[in-house]
Amino acid sequence: MNRNKKLANMAMLVALAMIFSYVESLIPINFGVPGGMKLGVANLVTVTGLYFLEIPEVLAVSVLRVLLTGFLFGNGMSIIYSLAGGAVVSLLAMVLVKKMDGISIVGVSITGGVFHNIGQILVAMAVVENLKLIYYLPVLLVAGTVTGFVIGIVAGKILPVVKKEAVRTV
Amino acid sequence: MKKKDLFLGGGILFAACVLFLVMNLMQYVQAKENGQKENQEKQVVIKVDGEVYGRYALDEDQVIEVQEGDFYNRIRIEDGKAYMEEADCPDGYCEEQGKINNRTQTIVCLPHKLVVEIEEVENSDDSQNEKEHLPDTISK
């Protein structure tokens, strides 16, 4: 992919991720967890991105998405949560898991969902300075696995199409 | 999807179950130990920014209003359970965290950095429950 095409593709991904972020903010699923819970649709972009972009590019897309949606719909705190949980912790975990043999996009997505939640609860614990929040961990692990699985299946379906498109535009 | 994906997902779910069981077992053992001691009292502890704001007896129906800066949270203690009745935080998740009555449970209002938790403390006889913010308490 040449530079401009790549830039255009990434910008489009950021825009898409922002729309997903907005859509999922409209459908909160609540398990009585501090900070609420998300379906992780925006993670769809990150997961798919890992399979046809370089790692720094994926990081750029997801950090930009967090910052832009944070300024538009959220507040300072929500940016910090999302950056710690989504953009850093879960991306790092996904990159590592992706390198393992026999793991497909579904496994990568599950890892992303789970580590996103782990990152968020760690940030929440630091913010309110209370270790008792660790009791939320089991429910967060289950929720992360389930949403990650669903997102992973969808990502697996759209990846071939996206890849073909991305190659054709080169 | 490959086999290892299922192992990964299953492994995490299994870990979550084990974690849940261990946490509950610890809570159960602790509760039993505490049950043998006398003069145990459950207190609702409200913390703002990591600092204790006030302690309130769980067995006494009351309403606690926390007004810190421009934050407002109203916690109600009723029938041995505490819950967030109203809060003016932007997300409002704290109002949906239900009623709590044991040590492992918390109500968290992230935007206000406010945590409601339960502690078991030894009842120091007639000193009742120390209310550090008496004017905020409306006892029925």
Side-chain angles (χ1 to χ4, degrees), chain B residues 59-127:
Chain B
D59 53 15
E60 197 178 307
D61 288 1
Q62 53 193 315
V63 178
I64 302 130
E65 294 189 307
V66 180
Q67 188 93 54
E68 282 276 294
D70 41 356
F71 294 166
Y72 176 78
N73 288 72
R74 188 164 73 239
I75 297 115
R76 186 181 277 275
I77 303 174
E78 210 172 57
D79 304 328
K81 284 176 179 169
Y83 63 98
M84 185 71 69
E85 193 173 52
E86 207 184 301
D88 65 351
C89 53
D91 56 27
Y93 291 127
C94 50
E95 291 169 50
E96 291 165 36
Q97 283 175 34
K99 300 183 176 184
I100 63 168
N101 68 345
N102 79 52
R103 291 189 317 115
T104 62
Q105 296 170 311
T106 46
I107 301 172
V108 184
C109 184
L110 274 180
H112 296 176
K113 296 186 186 177
L114 184 144
V115 182
V116 183
E117 55 183 294
I118 309 282
E119 268 179 25
E120 277 145 6
V121 287
E122 268 170 63
N123 203 345
S124 44
D125 299 310
D126 50 4
S127 68

Side-chain angles (χ1 to χ4, degrees), chain B residues 14 23 40 48 52 59 82 86 93 97 116 138:
Chain B
F14 181 71
M23 282 170 171
Q40 281 285 324
V48 181
V52 175
D59 53 15
E86 207 184 301
Y93 291 127
Q97 283 175 34
V116 183
I138 310 158

Side-chain angles (χ1 to χ4, degrees), chain A residues 30 35 102 104 107 130 132 136, chain B residues 4-5 96 103 106 117-118:
Chain A
N30 210 310
S104 78
N130 199 318
K132 272 191 180 177
Y136 288 106
Chain B
K4 276 195 182 168
D5 293 333
E96 291 165 36
R103 291 189 317 115
T106 46
E117 55 183 294
I118 309 282

Side-chain angles (χ1 to χ4, degrees), chain A residues 73-133:
Chain A
F73 318 115
N75 49 51
M77 283 322 292
S78 66
I79 296 179
I80 297 173
Y81 294 131
S82 312
L83 272 186
V88 182
V89 181
S90 82
L91 188 61
L92 194 71
M94 283 193 285
V95 168
L96 291 177
V97 168
K98 188 174 169 259
K99 287 205 170 115
M100 287 160 59
D101 288 328
I103 294 280
S104 78
I105 198 164
V106 180
V108 172
S109 174
I110 290 175
T111 310
V114 167
F115 276 84
H116 179 268
N117 288 353
I118 292 177
Q120 283 209 324
I121 202 69
L122 289 179
V123 177
M125 279 164 76
V127 167
V128 298
E129 296 169 40
N130 199 318
L131 292 176
K132 272 191 180 177
L133 268 62

